[in-house]
Amino acid sequence: MSNSNLLSIKSLSVSFGGLKALSDVNLELDRNEVVGLIGPNGAGKTTLFNALSGLADVESGSLEINGKSHKWPKPHQLIDLGISRTLQGVGLFPELTVLENVMVGDYKRARSGLISSALGLSGKDEAKLKQRAMTALERVYASGIAGRRADSLPYPVTKRVAIARALVSEPKILLLDEPAGGLGAQDIEWMNSLIHNLAAQCSVILVEHHMDVVMNVCDRLYVLNFGQVIASGEVETVRRDPSVVAAYLGVNS
Amino acid sequence: MLKFITAVLTSLTTGSIYALMSTALVLVWRSTRVINFAQAGQAVLTTYIGYEVIVRSGSYWVGLIMAIVAGAVIGAAIDRFFMRPIFKRITTGPIVMIAPVVATLGLLGIVQAIIGFKWGLTYQTIAAPVSTDGYRIFGSVIAFSPFNLMVLVCVTITMLLLTLLFQKTNLGLALRASAHSPEIAKLSGIKVDGIRTLGWALAGAAGGLAGMLFVPSTYLYPNAMDVLLVFGFIAAVIGGLDSLFGAVAGAMVLGFAINFTTSYVSSRLVFPTAFIILILVLLIKPAGIFSNKKGRRD
């Protein structure tokens, strides 16, 4: 294991009822690395994200972050581990403003006790919270719409805001679930360069169907099929792997 | 003219008490997507607790505070030990939506039976802490008293505090976030279960306040709050169930409609008026006339 190893998942298995959604999956992520998770629909990509973020029950498997072994987190503990994720689709709070949506992502860092909240003692904290949320919005070029309600935004912009919310807690690991899904060519290009830039500050695991995005931004790939890793390694190597071509790339591109 | 002024003032007073009840229902709806029919039972139970405290301490104000505190504690306990296990056990099937609501109806029956057992079915009274004699305007007494004024002031302060909590604090942000997308809220580090229980506690406190402000104008008995539950529910639906502003606005619409019907037509038409408004809203604008929900674009 290299010194720069940040996240290590070993022998992860997840079942739904009798169905094995993931079996014996291993995954490594280094610092400042962008790792792509690809595979046909139902291969288990989102299930892996869900297992890692406490939304799916882990049957067996171990989790190491920074060389320290951790229990599989509950959803609300994810941020404590330095991990944040976006959801497939949009996943914003429709009736909150853009700024509030991003501030929610930083909830853990703000003092939020009932008493201090009720007495309004958190004013200073709130100012800092707002400042950090604005910084996160600037990183996705969305600070100009901070006051708009989330449900009034065009779809591509909501994707940016969702990423800003994931960034505001300054995660070490960012899980992006189909960030380019539903975007047009221009927005996809923009997303490409954003993910490139993000890798300077954190590591990224990317689930994405747009192959051009995957090929463009990823350092390494894991290919899932029927809940198992069928190939992994450098992008070019994986691309030429016959089993991958058969299972996925050959069909889709 | 005097009749009109009186009707306006009475509408404001009754509307503000409905507003407490509709706010309680909306708080629970927002936190757990349940219409809490037990709210009437919780409110009357906390009012009995307030009544007992008044009997022992001799002070309405001590009773009021204890009723609010007891309302919060009972609300939180019901969510933690009754509703949460139900939510955890029933996760699939057609019964998911209906089971928790039926559970609150069952709870209402149980709470009222316990109250009947403990305090009997007789009518008790709680004396108002300030005069209930109507003010004099132009030499005639109107149906608006210092106690009515106190009710208005108490409800206004409560609503302002709730608005501050929801709009200006980080905890309020968590309450609003958890209401709509508990899953994303969890992933953002919010302990959604605790936030839901807080919603139930706030609702219980609002119900306790409603009881203590309502009963001095009438009597205390196990079903004393049933009528408030009905009107609070109608007001909440008018307001779109989802927003605190809607709950208050809906309650005011209902308060005015009911009092103007009583003053200018007949008090026998109070319930038909309320239900006609409910049906009209459901037929014409089912999301509520004050709902701030916009059409979804995706």
Side-chain angles (χ1 to χ4, degrees):
Chain A
M1 192 188 295
S2 66
N3 277 340
S4 60
N5 182 274
L6 182 58
L7 173 82
S8 164
I9 291 173
K10 292 209 172 75
S11 310
L12 170 63
S13 294
V14 175
S15 294
F16 298 126
L19 191 81
K20 272 255 189 235
L22 288 176
S23 51
D24 217 16
V25 168
N26 296 305
L27 185 142
E28 305 281 333
L29 177 70
D30 285 350
R31 283 195 182 75
N32 304 104
E33 192 182 29
V34 180
V35 159
L37 207 54
I38 61 171
N41 280 325
K45 306 181 297 286
T46 296
T47 304
L48 193 146
F49 274 12
N50 284 346
L52 188 52
S53 47
L55 294 176
D57 290 332
V58 171
E59 200 177 304
S60 61
S62 68
L63 171 68
E64 273 184 22
I65 297 166
N66 264 333
K68 269 204 317 208
S69 108
H70 284 270
K71 278 186 188 164
W72 294 92
K74 293 207 159 61
H76 70 265
Q77 298 166 331
L78 194 67
I79 299 271
D80 297 330
L81 294 178
I83 304 175
S84 72
R85 78 171 276 191
T86 65
L87 293 174
Q88 230 174 70
V90 180
L92 293 184
F93 304 105
E95 58 168 42
L96 303 192
T97 66
V98 166
L99 185 69
E100 286 170 336
N101 261 284
V102 178
M103 282 166 69
V104 171
D106 211 13
Y107 178 77
K108 265 283 164 83
R109 273 203 289 189
R111 270 215 317 272
S112 54
L114 180 57
I115 307 293
S116 64
S117 258
L119 296 176
L121 296 179
S122 50
K124 206 173 154 192
D125 279 345
E126 196 176 290
K128 272 192 220 157
L129 209 64
K130 275 188 181 149
Q131 186 55 50
R132 284 200 293 261
M134 284 308 283
T135 310
L137 280 170
E138 276 159 21
R139 286 177 70 184
V140 299
Y141 302 101
S143 55
I145 50 155
R148 295 258 305 264
R149 261 175 69 131
D151 56 4
S152 73
L153 301 175
Y155 183 77
V157 182
T158 59
K159 293 280 222 186
R160 295 186 192 193
V161 177
I163 290 181
R165 186 179 56 217
L167 287 177
V168 72
S169 61
E170 290 169 14
K172 291 187 296 234
I173 300 167
L174 186 60
L175 311 178
L176 295 177
D177 201 347
E178 298 196 14
L183 295 186
Q186 209 176 348
D187 288 309
I188 287 180
E189 205 166 294
W190 183 88
M191 192 62 77
N192 267 339
S193 61
L194 177 70
I195 297 171
H196 258 305
N197 295 341
L198 288 178
Q201 281 119 33
C202 60
S203 305
V204 178
I205 305 181
L206 174 71
V207 166
E208 186 53 71
H209 279 295
H210 281 281
M211 274 307 124
D212 41 347
V213 177
V214 173
M215 298 303 169
N216 236 311
V217 303
C218 292
D219 301 309
R220 282 188 305 122
L221 294 180
Y222 285 83
V223 187
L224 282 172
N225 199 20
F226 295 113
Q228 286 177 316
V229 176
I230 57 167
S232 63
E234 305 277 322
V235 172
E236 276 311 309
T237 324
V238 169
R239 199 177 186 166
R240 280 190 290 263
D241 190 308
S243 61
V244 175
V245 175
Y248 185 53
L249 293 177
V251 185
N252 266 22
S253 62
Chain B
M1 186 60 194
L2 203 60
K3 190 177 175 183
F4 179 77
I5 294 171
T6 309
V8 168
L9 291 171
T10 326
S11 302
L12 285 172
T13 316
T14 46
S16 65
I17 291 183
Y18 300 160
L20 283 177
M21 210 59 181
S22 59
T23 298
L25 291 167
V26 164
L27 284 168
V28 165
W29 171 258
R30 285 174 59 101
S31 62
T32 41
R33 301 283 147 195
V34 171
I35 300 291
N36 179 21
F37 287 110
Q39 195 75 64
Q42 288 168 246
V44 87
L45 175 61
T46 49
T47 310
Y48 270 100
I49 292 171
Y51 165 80
E52 288 292 336
V53 172
I54 293 171
V55 167
R56 282 169 178 72
S57 70
S59 161
Y60 172 89
W61 301 107
V62 178
L64 178 74
I65 290 165
M66 288 314 291
I68 293 171
V69 171
V73 171
I74 292 168
I78 288 174
D79 179 56
R80 179 65 191 83
F81 300 110
F82 184 68
M83 298 310 292
R84 200 188 292 178
I86 290 175
F87 285 118
K88 294 262 145 97
R89 283 196 181 87
I90 304 170
T91 53
T92 51
I95 202 162
V96 165
M97 291 299 287
I98 199 72
V101 184
V102 174
T104 70
L105 269 173
L107 189 64
L108 174 63
I110 294 169
V111 170
Q112 287 181 335
I114 291 172
I115 292 168
F117 182 74
K118 170 81 175 70
W119 282 282
L121 299 174
T122 52
Y123 286 56
Q124 317 282 355
T125 53
I126 291 178
V130 294
S131 168
T132 49
D133 296 336
Y135 285 108
R136 240 167 216 288
I137 293 184
F138 311 128
S140 17
V141 175
I142 59 164
F144 186 79
S145 66
F147 179 67
N148 296 138
L149 182 64
M150 185 198 108
V151 169
L152 265 181
V153 171
C154 283
V155 175
T156 308
I157 291 172
T158 306
M159 291 306 165
L160 285 177
L161 287 177
L162 275 177
T163 307
L164 279 178
L165 173 69
F166 272 86
Q167 298 298 331
K168 295 286 173 202
T169 70
N170 200 35
L171 194 64
L173 186 62
L175 277 158
R176 285 185 289 148
S178 306
H180 274 277
S181 316
E183 201 165 78
I184 314 171
K186 275 184 200 166
L187 289 172
S188 306
I190 296 170
K191 289 180 183 166
V192 172
D193 279 348
I195 293 292
R196 288 174 166 210
T197 303
L198 177 65
W200 278 75
L202 289 172
L209 178 62
M212 292 301 287
L213 294 180
F214 179 62
V215 165
S217 309
T218 154
Y219 296 98
L220 181 58
Y221 56 101
N223 296 84
M225 303 296 283
D226 290 4
V227 66
L228 274 195
L229 177 75
V230 173
F231 289 151
F233 175 65
I234 294 175
V237 172
I238 295 173
L241 261 181
D242 237 352
S243 84
L244 291 184
F245 171 78
V248 176
M252 285 302 161
V253 167
L254 197 62
F256 273 82
I258 286 175
N259 282 293
F260 274 77
T261 306
T262 308
S263 298
Y264 289 94
V265 192
S266 160
S267 62
R268 289 183 189 169
L269 291 179
V270 162
F271 278 94
T273 305
F275 283 107
I276 286 168
I277 292 175
L278 174 68
I279 288 165
L280 284 179
V281 168
L282 288 177
L283 284 175
I284 297 164
K285 208 156 179 286
I289 48 180
F290 301 103
S291 170
N292 55 6
K293 205 169 276 177
K294 292 187 181 173
R296 297 199 59 140
R297 293 186 179 204
D298 50 342

